[in-house]
Amino acid sequence: MLATAAAPRVLGGALLKALIVSDVHSNLEAFQAVIDDGARRGGFDQIWSLGDLIGYGPDPGPCIDLLRSHDERSVAGNHDLASVGRLSLEAFNEHAAAANTWTSTQINDDQAEYIRGLPLKNVQGEFTMVHGSPRDPVWEYVISEPAAVASFLHFDTDQCLVGHSHIPFLCRPNENGAAFLEFLLDVPVSLDGDRVIINPGGVGQPRDGDPRASYAVYDDANGTIVHQRTEYDVVTTQTKMEERGLPKYLIDRLTYGR
């Protein structure tokens, strides 16, 4: 049975702005840059984290601590679970398995217990938050029309926030099933109670060909969500990964956002 955290209305009915992040992957430079960028662009009240806070990168403990220093609402991702012994490493490729093995030795008991306590699904107002998909929060990628159509049947709120693929998109149901739409930068998208699946992209390991950290901001006051990106110090992250003996493949891909 899925662990579920529910809230009838975020902030007890008050309006808020939420900084939405996914796939931070232990990249402290990228995560801090996103937080700083969000603050510069008008600020935020909460951080909503869609999983894979740790794994791959060089700073798992500091990333956990940074998230927890804010008012946050979060779910667990597959790398989070693997790094605290809740998923077998056999399901991961050799690079991910090596990084998760290393990550498990770098977090303290309190940090590990926090990760173990994260739900797989979290409902905030009219948003259902998951890492993979509402049908399979741990493993399923919402990257195809069949997966999207099935996903719309597995959440009851108007909107669903997903991560996992590291690729930003909007997906809306239509008469033919579902349509994936480009999540344009800096263009507020009106939600207006429409059903939509939203992926804010990857903070710490983008995979859409743009190496900048990707995130989104939901503004409850006007019912919009906007896609944002920011530069971060990629070289510092890569240098730390090299010093910690993390796989070269994971280091190199940060340069290109692939």
Side-chain angles (χ1 to χ4, degrees), residues 34-88:
V34 162
I35 290 172
D36 293 344
D37 194 55
R40 283 193 298 268
R41 293 177 186 254
F44 55 90
D45 303 296
Q46 293 179 346
I47 297 178
W48 293 356
S49 175
L50 305 179
D52 280 2
L53 177 63
I54 57 177
Y56 286 143
D59 288 303
C63 283
I64 294 171
D65 292 343
L66 180 56
L67 177 63
R68 295 176 76 186
S69 72
H70 291 80
D71 184 6
E72 51 90 8
R73 306 290 186 270
S74 303
V75 295
N78 55 314
H79 287 259
D80 301 320
L81 298 172
S83 294
V84 295
R86 291 292 176 87
L87 278 184
S88 170

Side-chain angles (χ1 to χ4, degrees), residues 15-174:
L15 299 178
L16 87 157
K17 292 180 74 174
L19 185 79
I20 303 169
V21 301
S22 188
D23 300 283
V24 171
H25 280 300
S26 302
N27 188 333
L28 184 62
E29 283 70 36
F31 194 16
Q32 187 64 66
V34 162
I35 290 172
D36 293 344
D37 194 55
R40 283 193 298 268
R41 293 177 186 254
F44 55 90
D45 303 296
Q46 293 179 346
I47 297 178
W48 293 356
S49 175
L50 305 179
D52 280 2
L53 177 63
I54 57 177
Y56 286 143
D59 288 303
C63 283
I64 294 171
D65 292 343
L66 180 56
L67 177 63
R68 295 176 76 186
S69 72
H70 291 80
D71 184 6
E72 51 90 8
R73 306 290 186 270
S74 303
V75 295
N78 55 314
H79 287 259
D80 301 320
L81 298 172
S83 294
V84 295
R86 291 292 176 87
L87 278 184
S88 170
L89 292 176
E90 293 179 358
F92 293 83
N93 65 50
E94 60 177 317
H95 308 297
N100 284 332
T101 298
W102 177 84
T103 297
S104 69
T105 69
Q106 302 300 307
I107 55 178
N108 62 38
D109 291 343
D110 179 63
Q111 292 163 345
E113 192 60 30
Y114 167 76
I115 295 295
R116 291 189 188 100
L118 290 175
L120 299 185
K121 184 181 291 186
N122 194 331
V123 177
Q124 296 295 317
E126 283 305 316
F127 289 87
T128 296
M129 298 166 50
V130 295
H131 179 63
S133 80
R135 180 170 64 172
D136 178 358
V138 176
W139 284 116
E140 184 175 33
Y141 290 91
V142 183
I143 54 176
S144 67
E145 183 180 349
V149 170
S151 290
F152 279 111
L153 300 176
H154 283 81
F155 64 95
D156 298 323
T157 57
D158 290 333
Q159 291 90 35
C160 183
L161 299 170
V162 303
H164 200 32
S165 70
H166 303 212
I167 298 173
F169 66 77
L170 303 172
C171 183
R172 297 185 183 273
N174 62 21

